Amino acid sequence: MPDRETIPSAPAPEVSERAAALPQDALRIASGYAFTGPALHLGALLWDGQCLPDAQIRVPLAMLNRHGLVAGATGTGKTKTLQLIAEQLSAQGVPVFLADVKGDLSGIAAPGRQDARVEGRAADVHQSWTATGFPAEYYALGGIGRGIPVRATVTGFGPVLLSKVLRLNRTQEQSLALIFHYADSKGLELIDLKDLRAVVTFLTSDEGRPELKTIGGLSAATAGVILRSLTAFEAQGASDFFGEPEFDTSELLRTGDDGRGTVSVLELSAVQDRPQLFSTFLMWLLADLFHDLPELGDVDKPRLVFFLDEAHLLFDDASEAFLESITQTVRLIRSKGVGVFFVTQTPKDVPADVLAQLGNRVQHALRAFTPDDQKALNATVKTFPKSPYDLEEVLTNLGTGEAVVTVLSEKGAPTPVAATRLRAPESLMGPLGQDALERAVAESPLYERYAQAVDRESAYERLERGRGAKGPDEMRDAAPRESRESGAEERPSAVEQVVGSGVFQSLARSVWTQIGREITRSLFGTARRPGRRRR
């Protein structure tokens, strides 16, 4: 791909000759962004009410796995900032994941339209603007909306994330974890919500109650809460999100034939009335990546940059275990080459332990119309390093497409705070046309793999067939005859010997593995299956 002015591959000078004539404080700020390695261009410095295009504000490519925050009031330009960063990452060969809550990021695949506003912005910041589209894949949760369906199995989703979605308290969360442990150990695959309902119902029946006695049991009251929460969850249409084929998150790591990183756009506009669900699903995607990716240490460029929009929804009413898991995931996933950007309105929406790990900050304007707004503004100002700006005044007077920036330098130290006029995205700033979007989805090589839902035999069917048996060990007698009369000599597997469950007979026919399912659980309780592709 040819070199472009917006994404230089050659080392940048320390400070241009014209920049040397800047006011002393402005020059000091500009010097903090004069990196020698590959960097993304954010825009030009704002100082004393003027845009100074010779003072370019950039972020080192190698530092984008150190996580970040894009914040600001509604309508201040956060979405366009995501698009600007995503474009340049893609051009550098870095895949990007974008949660598209409002449905207006799909245009990243199409060249932008040049108009007076774009021309004016480009001239202000000395941007050589070229209309450019970028390789993109479009996804939709459970196939609700226009995109390749993204589904998770209940087992893969895990008890911690599911507890968050079901709004369970700590005791109920622990009971749900016990249910998952039982299902794991007995080879009862929880593919969809009816599987989970079947296992909960079995464990509170006369037949199933003894199964958990030695490890604490499951009270009827707690089981009732879980079942009622599942009913309410299903009433919201959640059944569409759980099932097979389960999405393989390694798809998010793809690059195009031209070496550019694929931008994965997850459309959420069709489910934006269920924010608790989609925000937790985003965390599942990240947790699944964390579980599967190998350690890389420090890298020249990220393996993936992941943008979590409406991030405050992740933390609303979150349990202590959930918050601890997010904190650990963010802390540890950096060494796997993945950068995470939280997108929200104010830094106070993000817990302090998570905020402390976000090295790159793009803060758009904040409004102070109420006492609560003023408190949020004061708290935001305190999260920035000392600077010559009156940040309280600057943050309330920034225009659309302007932001206060501080990032990590190539040495890992915070750069000076810089009020910045941001560059204009070069792709279409708005949604892709419906026909073009549907065509892109249908022509994707992933469509055939994930489009059609599959409902194979799992916990629900096995428990229904085994109804009346004394326990899971006797369910083998109720299994289909062909699973026992395959013509080969029946030999118990190592897993069967350990667990002692005949259920593993039918698991031998699973699409995942021929001797059953080896389940390990990560920080979020998400499960990894053997044979998952790694990239």
Side-chain angles (χ1 to χ4, degrees), residues 194-249:
K194 73 177 184 297
D195 290 325
L196 179 58
R197 179 185 296 280
V199 173
V200 175
T201 302
F202 171 74
L203 290 174
T204 52
S205 69
D206 291 340
E207 296 169 325
R209 198 174 294 118
E211 292 288 317
L212 294 182
K213 257 187 178 178
T214 59
I215 51 175
L218 175 66
S219 74
T222 297
V225 170
I226 293 172
L227 290 172
R228 287 193 296 274
S229 297
L230 282 173
T231 300
F233 194 39
E234 289 170 309
Q236 296 174 13
S239 297
D240 295 308
F241 304 104
F242 293 95
E244 290 182 323
E246 186 173 55
F247 183 69
D248 185 344
T249 51

Side-chain angles (χ1 to χ4, degrees), residues 272-283:
Q272 60 181 310
D273 58 335
R274 285 166 272 181
Q276 194 89 8
L277 174 63
F278 76 66
S279 66
T280 311
F281 244 91
L282 296 181
M283 207 64 218

Side-chain angles (χ1 to χ4, degrees), residues 20 56 134 149 187 189 196 237-238 241 259 267-268 289 295 344 354 364 386 498 501 504 506 511 529:
Q56 290 289 306
F134 295 83
E189 290 184 284
L196 179 58
F241 304 104
E267 180 189 313
L268 295 171
L289 279 166
E295 293 284 333
T344 188
V354 176
H364 288 264
K386 289 182 180 180
V498 173
S501 172
F504 281 95
S506 56
V511 297
R529 288 156 306 289

Side-chain angles (χ1 to χ4, degrees), residues 247-271:
F247 183 69
D248 185 344
T249 51
S250 69
E251 309 287 9
L252 304 178
L253 305 175
R254 297 163 64 226
T255 56
D257 294 337
D258 59 1
R260 293 187 296 172
T262 298
V263 181
S264 298
V265 182
L266 178 65
E267 180 189 313
L268 295 171
S269 56
V271 293

Side-chain angles (χ1 to χ4, degrees), residues 51 116-117 141 171 226 233 277 314 316 375 393 398 444-445 460 503 516 521 533:
C51 182
R117 285 190 303 171
L141 284 186
T171 299
I226 293 172
F233 194 39
L277 174 63
L314 280 173
D316 290 348
K375 275 178 73 174
E393 180 180 351
L398 290 170
S444 169
Y460 171 79
V503 165
R521 294 199 173 273
R533 288 177 298 151

Side-chain angles (χ1 to χ4, degrees), residues 467-535:
R467 187 174 289 176
K470 293 180 181 179
D473 290 343
E474 296 189 16
M475 289 179 196
R476 172 172 51 187
D477 297 331
R481 178 166 306 204
E482 62 267 21
S483 70
R484 304 195 307 271
E485 298 177 0
S486 59
E489 183 181 353
E490 182 174 303
R491 295 180 181 177
S493 69
V495 179
E496 285 177 316
Q497 293 174 29
V498 173
V499 177
S501 172
V503 165
F504 281 95
Q505 289 292 314
S506 56
L507 279 180
R509 299 163 59 206
S510 166
V511 297
W512 287 325
T513 174
Q514 296 199 354
I515 61 168
R517 182 172 183 176
E518 172 197 340
I519 295 181
T520 57
R521 294 199 173 273
S522 69
L523 294 171
F524 276 99
T526 57
R528 182 200 299 174
R529 288 156 306 289
R532 282 288 286 272
R533 288 177 298 151
R534 288 192 176 193
R535 294 177 183 266

Side-chain angles (χ1 to χ4, degrees), residues 452-469:
Q452 186 62 48
V454 176
D455 186 13
R456 66 181 175 86
E457 183 181 82
S458 50
Y460 171 79
E461 289 80 10
R462 291 167 191 155
L463 288 170
E464 281 293 298
R465 192 185 307 114
R467 187 174 289 176

Side-chain angles (χ1 to χ4, degrees), residues 141-361:
L141 284 186
I144 298 179
R146 294 182 296 274
I148 297 162
V150 174
R151 303 180 186 89
T153 63
V154 172
T155 286
F157 203 70
V160 177
L161 291 174
L162 192 59
S163 295
K164 173 74 163 63
V165 175
L166 297 178
R167 298 178 181 272
L168 303 182
N169 64 28
R170 179 62 171 164
T171 299
Q172 293 155 0
E173 179 182 326
Q174 290 171 340
S175 295
L176 187 62
L178 189 65
I179 293 165
F180 271 73
H181 169 74
Y182 173 80
D184 286 355
S185 66
K186 296 299 183 183
L188 293 170
E189 290 184 284
L190 306 177
I191 303 299
D192 50 29
L193 294 178
K194 73 177 184 297
D195 290 325
L196 179 58
R197 179 185 296 280
V199 173
V200 175
T201 302
F202 171 74
L203 290 174
T204 52
S205 69
D206 291 340
E207 296 169 325
R209 198 174 294 118
E211 292 288 317
L212 294 182
K213 257 187 178 178
T214 59
I215 51 175
L218 175 66
S219 74
T222 297
V225 170
I226 293 172
L227 290 172
R228 287 193 296 274
S229 297
L230 282 173
T231 300
F233 194 39
E234 289 170 309
Q236 296 174 13
S239 297
D240 295 308
F241 304 104
F242 293 95
E244 290 182 323
E246 186 173 55
F247 183 69
D248 185 344
T249 51
S250 69
E251 309 287 9
L252 304 178
L253 305 175
R254 297 163 64 226
T255 56
D257 294 337
D258 59 1
R260 293 187 296 172
T262 298
V263 181
S264 298
V265 182
L266 178 65
E267 180 189 313
L268 295 171
S269 56
V271 293
Q272 60 181 310
D273 58 335
R274 285 166 272 181
Q276 194 89 8
L277 174 63
F278 76 66
S279 66
T280 311
F281 244 91
L282 296 181
M283 207 64 218
W284 168 74
L285 290 172
L286 187 61
D288 198 67
L289 279 166
F290 171 81
H291 203 201
D292 282 358
L293 290 177
E295 293 284 333
L296 294 179
D298 291 328
V299 291
D300 293 334
K301 64 181 181 181
R303 193 169 191 177
L304 172 73
V305 177
F306 200 95
F307 289 91
L308 284 168
D309 204 357
E310 300 291 345
H312 65 281
L313 298 170
L314 280 173
F315 307 110
D316 290 348
D317 303 319
S319 70
E320 185 177 342
F322 184 80
L323 292 176
E324 287 175 358
S325 297
I326 290 180
T327 304
Q328 282 186 280
T329 300
V330 172
R331 181 182 297 124
L332 298 174
I333 204 168
R334 178 191 69 78
S335 64
K336 300 193 174 193
V338 177
V340 183
F341 276 69
F342 294 88
V343 185
T344 188
Q345 294 204 355
T346 71
K348 74 180 184 65
D349 294 333
V350 180
D353 287 346
V354 176
L355 189 64
Q357 299 176 59
L358 310 183
N360 303 296
R361 298 273 301 278

